[in-house]
Amino acid sequence: MNLQLNGLVAVVTGGSRGIGLAICKALAAEGADVAVLYASNAEKAEAAAAACAACGVRAKAYPCRVENSTEAAQTVKDILADFGRIDILVNNAGITRDKLVNGMRDADFDDVIDVNLRGAFHMLRAVYPLMAKQRSGRILNISSVAGLSGNAGQTNYAASKAGLIGMTKSAARELAARGVTCNAIAPGFIATDMTEKFAQDEKTLAAIPVRRMGTPDEVAALAAYLCSPHAAYITGEVIRIDGGMMM
């Protein structure tokens, strides 16, 4: 399917590795120009931008701590200056600080909420008036099945991902009449650096009906569709991609 992304500009937070990198490349492969946002690893982000540019599109890496509202707003301004418009926002940046509740420090909770939830809000707020004015746009938040079911040792992470779902539905209601959609993807166990310790765990794999972990490319294919004109009638949805784990 031709997703008709030629000439559109996509912003992907946490775009230098894992699911974010796969989404950047999938969007670029469909013709979108890509702004790759990253927190710390400039080398990986530049490599991600180069991989996107190899698809024949414009691509550039931008350092941005999305949890900092000033930085997020300024980065959006910089992207506008470089690309001229923003059509797609993918809020993918995320961290974990896993601990049981009785051992979780304030900083463990605050850091995860700041990056995963507050950071997504900062980016949403920055692009909101642009998309509302142009009467078109796609916002995609990368949540998690942990935000739907909870997970022992991840009170902070699950809370941040559940918060993203509420934010998705609220923004979808606000922006629907302006031609802007807002959806969320809730991945299960996807083979990335963050889930490496679970890759060979028999208990984890037994809990997944398809008996394997998903791949970043599988998530990226769904993300690219939801960011395309073909998905104009889908908004406020949370779509699981978890091998049947939550059915």
Side-chain angles (χ1 to χ4, degrees):
M1 180 186 287
N2 179 358
L3 294 184
Q4 301 172 1
L5 299 184
N6 291 325
L8 301 184
V9 176
V11 177
V12 182
T13 71
S16 65
R17 63 191 179 97
I19 290 173
L21 172 59
I23 291 173
C24 286
K25 293 196 289 188
L27 294 174
E30 293 291 341
D33 298 327
V34 182
V36 181
L37 272 57
Y38 68 98
S40 58
N41 196 322
E43 187 177 346
K44 281 190 175 180
E46 293 294 346
C52 291
C55 295
V57 302
R58 294 180 296 166
K60 185 175 178 179
Y62 296 83
C64 180
R65 293 171 300 161
V66 293
E67 67 271 29
N68 182 305
S69 61
T70 303
E71 251 183 72
Q74 184 58 53
T75 301
V76 167
K77 288 179 182 176
D78 293 342
I79 294 167
L80 270 177
D82 291 336
F83 289 90
R85 60 185 293 123
I86 294 173
D87 302 283
I88 296 164
L89 168 65
V90 180
N91 279 315
N92 169 74
I95 62 171
T96 57
R97 298 282 186 273
D98 294 354
K99 283 176 186 167
L100 294 175
V101 170
N102 63 349
M104 190 173 287
R105 303 169 303 148
D106 287 356
D108 296 324
F109 189 86
D110 292 344
D111 289 351
V112 170
I113 295 294
D114 279 352
V115 175
N116 298 9
L117 183 56
R118 194 186 303 274
F121 169 72
H122 291 157
M123 294 301 298
L124 167 64
R125 184 172 60 184
V127 305
Y128 186 113
L130 308 174
M131 292 185 178
K133 185 177 180 181
Q134 69 194 21
R135 302 188 74 87
S136 66
R138 298 284 179 269
I139 297 163
L140 183 62
N141 297 317
I142 308 302
S143 181
S144 167
V145 293
L148 296 168
S149 66
N151 202 23
Q154 288 194 313
T155 299
N156 48 4
Y157 183 76
S160 72
K161 295 302 187 178
L164 271 180
I165 290 170
M167 188 169 77
T168 296
K169 292 179 178 292
S170 297
R173 288 186 180 277
E174 291 185 22
L175 288 164
R178 292 279 177 172
V180 180
T181 67
C182 187
N183 292 291
I185 292 176
F189 283 105
I190 307 300
T192 66
D193 294 345
M194 204 178 275
T195 59
E196 200 173 21
K197 59 186 176 183
F198 300 109
Q200 303 303 323
D201 182 66
E202 287 183 19
K203 246 173 119 179
T204 297
L205 296 179
I208 306 170
V210 301
R211 294 296 190 270
R212 67 172 177 86
M213 298 181 81
T215 69
D217 287 343
E218 288 171 321
V219 179
L222 174 59
Y225 174 76
L226 290 172
C227 290
S228 78
H230 297 288
Y233 206 56
I234 303 172
T235 196
E237 287 299 323
V238 182
I239 301 175
R240 292 182 294 105
I241 178 164
D242 63 357
M245 191 168 67
M246 289 286 294
M247 68 176 167

